[in-house]
Amino acid sequence: MARLANLETEYPVLDSTVRNFCASHGIFSVEDFLIHDLYMLAAFAEQNNSSERLKEGIAQVLSIIDDMHQPWLNGMELLEDAKRNKHVFPTGIQGIDLLLGGGIRVGQLTELVGPSSSGKTQVCLRTASNVARNHLVLYLDTGNSFSPQRIAYFLGKTINPSSAQAKNQFLQKVMSNISCHSVFDIFAMFDVLHQLESYLRCQDGRGDCQMRLLIVDSISSLISPVLGSSSTQGRALMTSAGYLLKKLAHQHNLAVLIINHTVGGEGGYSKPALGDSWKCIPHSRLFLSCDRGSNNYNVSILRHPSMASGKAARFVI
Amino acid sequence: MEIWRLPISASQRGKLISAGYTSLSSLSSISSSDLARELNVSESEAMNILKVASHSRGSETSNASCSIVEVLDTFQWWAGAQSAWDMLHDEESLMHITTSSADLDNILGGGIHCKEVTEIGGVPGIGKTQLGIQIAVNVQIPNDFGGLGGNSIYIDTEGSFMVERAFQIAEACIEDMSEYNRFLRKDFQECKIKMQPQDILENIFYFRICSYTEQIALINYLDKFLSEHKDVKVIVVDSVTFHFRQDFDDMALRTRVLSGMALKLMNLAKRFSLAVVLLNQVTTKHTEASFQLALALGDSWSHTCTNRIVLYWNGNERYAYIDKSPSLRSA
């Protein structure tokens, strides 16, 4: 929402008479304009000398505001969009795929929560290696835990090694589809996401290999340093990060997978970190845990748009 | 893009918003002197704000005007991202720091990895400080003998670094190397050990800190220190938890400070390609009516390291097991 003074270069209607009139009512920017009672403003404009210009000015500002909101969609368009674009990607882990009815869904934010060493990074690596066969994957890593060896291992398990060279070529092709970037604070993450947005806008509409999966490991390490201090900026950053990720997921048809950790709650139970404000942001939340000393992992649904919560499954990686 | 996503201070942000600048496009056409006048800040502050804003905006618009053909090539380029295939090859060329214990090296896959933060925890008296000193010495083994040939930084919070013990370890390390030399290169007499224990001790940079603010300040300072001393290959922090356990009333502050510190250490490890080793103490945790030993500082801290090794006694012997690792098996 810009100041009216700055808009003059683009829209010459908003010249100084209009601005002085608005200033006399305490309106300095488009935002103030919205807060004001427009009928009263129009009535005042009538009484003024140069009422025509003022009315043009007001109409211009209103049209600027009109341009800003998203277009309306009706139900049929949404359904078509869902059928055409919003596929489901299998994670490659049987237990999770069965539990989720196919896998993680494009256009939604899926969160993996769990105590330390419960397999969250492994699930992400597995999903990345699965999706990378046909699509591009971006992995944002905050803890240097992206392990190319593991990805090579997962990929090696799924193909028959006809020859070492063919296997190498396959590995190279698939692994070049995964791009890993280290971010160490939340502002860097915003930078990367905005660059991603511009890149996706250029890329949308081209048929071949497109980005379909974004993994953030882990969003809680980025947000914890800013959350909870006396200012509310931390929570604002957290919710805006959530909304940005959801917007990217929906508009550019990405599946977004984020990792959160747990903290101790009342009664000794662990609960997901980042608090109640974060709870409603991801579309689906899965809770992972690991049986000590074995390879068995448990996953249960905390929240999902189409599955009942509380269902659980076991899986092995 | 909104103003409050910029990394500027809260007071500057408040002034920007109250003056009506809530998006970056509104800052695009104003000069720094006008901005300084309207916000009532100094001109250098205004220039700073504009610089940060144009930097964030520039990275956005430069991509928007790219041609379609360039886009495919720039996928790997932007913002320093790397493809997994390149990283796999990089990883194969990374060396490990041996811990001088064959079994420990085995489960670690060769030793402590560079570019990762490894946390080692155990009960008091099990040998964590000794292990830390050993690693600080081992990193200086020259490349010929399979080591990294780098310097080390030792950050001591408890005061348990004994110079005499370090000297002993250095001597033992040199003896090891000369034996290795004699064993493998029986014919070549020219590869003599040029290192003396004093050299090894010279290459350990020692910092002693006495409070948590010093700890945070030191980690912030390490950035500059490492750009000057590029040879450093390992940072050992003895008892990263010591100053955070007692006398800390504000738990939320503790979590914030710790996670910020962990991220900075990760950043250092990645940028300068060094290994970070953190030593931690244990505490008892009440789970299901039984007492279990767990590493100090809680769940949020345990989430922040890359690898975790726990040392424990079993009878009269020391055991280690890997608690958390992205690429190694639990052992």
Side-chain angles (χ1 to χ4, degrees):
Chain A
M1 304 292 199
R3 294 177 60 99
L4 292 176
N6 297 342
L7 285 174
E8 187 181 352
T9 43
E10 284 175 54
Y11 304 98
V13 173
L14 300 173
D15 62 349
S16 44
T17 38
V18 177
R19 287 208 317 275
N20 286 336
F21 170 69
C22 293
S24 66
H25 289 273
I27 301 179
F28 291 104
S29 67
V30 178
E31 218 172 71
D32 297 334
F33 200 85
L34 283 175
I35 302 175
H36 252 75
D37 185 350
L38 289 177
Y39 288 115
M40 293 271 305
L41 206 61
F44 273 119
E46 282 287 324
Q47 297 166 7
N48 208 305
N49 289 344
S50 41
S51 59
E52 282 303 316
R53 303 212 61 156
L54 293 179
K55 279 203 256 191
E56 268 181 44
I58 294 176
Q60 178 64 266
V61 179
L62 285 175
S63 74
I64 298 174
I65 296 172
D66 259 344
D67 285 333
M68 293 218 173
H69 71 75
Q70 305 274 355
W72 294 104
L73 289 174
N74 65 25
M76 279 309 294
E77 289 171 13
L78 278 178
L79 184 62
E80 274 216 22
D81 175 56
K83 272 205 255 190
R84 205 178 340 125
N85 295 331
K86 307 280 195 278
H87 308 184
V88 165
F89 283 125
T91 59
I93 302 173
Q94 233 184 3
I96 297 188
D97 287 340
L98 278 179
L99 183 68
L100 292 179
I104 54 174
R105 185 174 282 278
V106 168
Q108 288 192 352
L109 207 56
T110 309
E111 181 184 356
L112 298 175
V113 184
S116 180
S117 173
S118 50
K120 309 184 288 286
T121 308
Q122 298 300 312
V123 171
C124 283
L125 291 175
R126 192 84 169 85
T127 315
S129 64
N130 221 20
V131 175
R133 289 151 171 273
N134 303 320
H135 305 284
L136 301 176
V137 175
L138 179 63
Y139 196 104
L140 293 182
D141 190 9
T142 65
N144 292 341
S145 37
F146 179 74
S147 164
Q149 288 170 332
R150 270 312 252 173
I151 300 225
Y153 172 72
F154 287 136
L155 288 173
K157 267 201 322 194
T158 56
I159 57 162
N160 294 327
S162 48
S163 75
Q165 200 200 25
K167 182 172 171 194
N168 234 13
Q169 276 182 351
F170 172 72
L171 278 184
Q172 179 173 20
K173 180 170 92 81
V174 175
M175 286 176 72
S176 317
N177 282 345
I178 306 180
S179 183
C180 173
H181 185 69
S182 296
V183 284
F184 296 109
D185 69 86
I186 195 163
F187 299 111
M189 183 181 82
F190 276 125
D191 280 341
V192 171
L193 288 180
H194 281 111
Q195 288 187 350
L196 179 65
E197 200 177 3
S198 336
Y199 167 76
L200 287 173
R201 246 180 284 152
C202 289
Q203 196 202 32
D204 270 344
R206 288 173 51 220
D208 51 330
C209 212
Q210 293 195 344
M211 179 182 282
R212 284 281 174 258
L213 180 62
L214 172 66
I215 302 182
V216 182
D217 179 5
S218 58
I219 202 157
S220 46
S221 351
L222 293 177
I223 296 182
S224 314
V226 291
L227 194 62
S229 54
S230 51
S231 79
T232 50
Q233 197 211 354
R235 204 173 311 145
L237 283 174
M238 178 175 83
T239 31
S240 83
Y243 284 137
L244 184 57
L245 289 169
K246 286 209 274 198
K247 186 173 95 157
L248 281 175
H250 180 75
Q251 278 183 354
H252 302 283
N253 299 326
L254 296 180
V256 182
L257 200 56
I258 52 182
I259 291 192
N260 194 2
H261 67 270
T262 54
V263 290
E266 290 105 29
Y269 291 109
S270 10
K271 59 175 182 153
L274 297 182
D276 286 333
S277 328
W278 178 257
K279 231 180 2 188
C280 33
I281 294 186
H283 292 107
S284 38
R285 307 182 99 195
L286 302 172
F287 190 89
L288 284 103
S289 63
C290 167
D291 297 335
R292 284 234 112 180
S294 77
N295 249 352
N296 287 329
Y297 296 88
N298 299 317
V299 60
S300 68
I301 300 185
L302 287 178
R303 182 183 189 220
H304 196 274
S306 47
M307 296 271 146
S309 63
K311 278 170 72 167
R314 302 172 71 92
F315 63 95
V316 178
I317 296 186
Chain B
M1 275 186 54
E2 304 293 334
I3 286 279
W4 45 264
R5 286 197 197 133
L6 292 180
I8 51 180
S9 77
S11 58
Q12 288 176 344
R13 193 176 19 253
K15 286 185 190 159
L16 277 175
I17 294 184
S18 60
Y21 296 95
T22 44
S23 83
L24 281 185
S25 45
S26 53
L27 277 181
S28 56
S29 48
I30 197 164
S31 76
S32 61
S33 44
D34 289 336
L35 190 65
R37 206 178 359 108
E38 295 207 15
L39 295 183
N40 223 8
V41 297
S42 73
E43 176 138 359
S44 58
E45 270 192 56
M47 268 203 317
N48 216 15
I49 297 177
L50 283 176
K51 199 164 61 157
V52 171
S54 66
H55 168 78
S56 329
R57 213 174 7 98
S59 54
E60 189 186 86
T61 52
S62 64
N63 276 325
S65 52
C66 60
S67 71
I68 307 277
V69 176
E70 286 174 10
V71 162
L72 187 58
D73 301 329
T74 59
F75 176 60
Q76 311 295 348
W77 152 88
W78 48 266
Q82 259 191 316
S83 88
W85 181 251
D86 297 330
M87 283 180 72
L88 183 64
H89 287 291
D90 281 344
E91 249 194 29
E92 283 163 10
S93 59
L94 274 184
M95 308 224 40
H96 305 136
I97 306 177
T98 170
T99 55
S100 291
S101 148
D103 298 322
L104 194 57
D105 281 347
N106 261 341
I107 57 170
L108 283 175
I112 312 263
H113 293 136
C114 282
K115 282 198 191 178
E116 285 181 5
V117 174
T118 309
E119 189 181 342
I120 304 182
V123 290
I126 201 165
K128 303 188 297 291
T129 307
Q130 305 301 313
L131 193 57
I133 303 180
Q134 181 77 61
I135 292 175
V137 167
N138 278 349
V139 75
Q140 298 174 33
I141 299 178
N143 281 325
D144 302 333
F145 297 90
L148 281 168
N151 302 336
S152 58
I153 293 181
Y154 195 97
I155 302 178
D156 192 359
T157 60
E158 287 171 341
S160 40
F161 184 80
M162 301 271 103
V163 186
E164 299 85 359
R165 179 77 186 123
F167 194 71
Q168 280 181 343
I169 294 183
E171 277 181 339
C173 184
I174 292 185
E175 257 186 50
D176 248 1
M177 286 201 294
S178 53
E179 251 194 57
Y180 183 69
N181 191 21
R182 260 180 278 132
F183 181 67
L184 276 193
R185 306 185 191 199
K186 298 189 198 121
D187 314 320
F188 295 85
Q189 287 300 322
E190 67 246 30
C191 302
K192 287 254 176 207
I193 310 292
K194 299 197 187 63
M195 295 185 75
Q196 300 290 323
Q198 290 89 337
D199 295 337
I200 295 193
L201 289 186
E202 254 183 35
N203 286 335
I204 303 182
F205 297 108
Y206 177 80
F207 294 95
R208 172 88 170 93
I209 50 183
C210 307
S211 74
Y212 80 91
T213 37
E214 279 187 40
Q215 197 168 343
I216 303 170
L218 177 63
I219 297 197
N220 286 336
Y221 168 66
L222 274 180
D223 198 17
K224 208 169 64 128
F225 185 83
L226 285 173
S227 357
E228 290 165 15
H229 297 88
K230 290 236 191 297
D231 275 338
V232 175
K233 285 283 180 275
V234 74
I235 300 178
V236 180
V237 183
D238 194 341
S239 228
V240 67
T241 63
F242 184 66
H243 293 295
F244 289 93
R245 295 190 71 187
Q246 307 93 319
D247 298 340
F248 227 101
D249 291 329
D250 190 358
M251 280 303 180
L253 178 64
R254 192 180 91 163
T255 319
R256 278 203 310 280
V257 163
L258 281 176
S259 17
M261 195 173 77
L263 281 180
K264 291 202 190 92
L265 286 172
M266 282 287 177
N267 201 359
L268 292 174
K270 183 92 190 210
R271 269 172 49 203
F272 296 103
S273 260
L274 42 89
V276 179
V277 177
L278 307 174
L279 304 176
N280 200 354
Q281 300 156 347
V282 290
T283 175
T284 44
K285 204 156 85 152
H286 312 252
T287 52
E288 304 146 26
S290 71
F291 291 91
Q292 207 182 36
L293 285 182
L295 289 189
L297 290 184
D299 286 328
S300 350
W301 175 252
S302 54
H303 184 75
T304 53
C305 59
T306 312
N307 300 316
R308 195 158 57 242
I309 306 170
V310 177
L311 308 173
Y312 60 99
W313 289 105
N314 198 349
N316 259 339
E317 293 187 345
R318 297 181 172 85
Y319 280 84
Y321 82 93
I322 297 200
D323 200 26
K324 171 183 179 185
S325 162
S327 55
L328 304 164
R329 309 194 138 284
S330 288

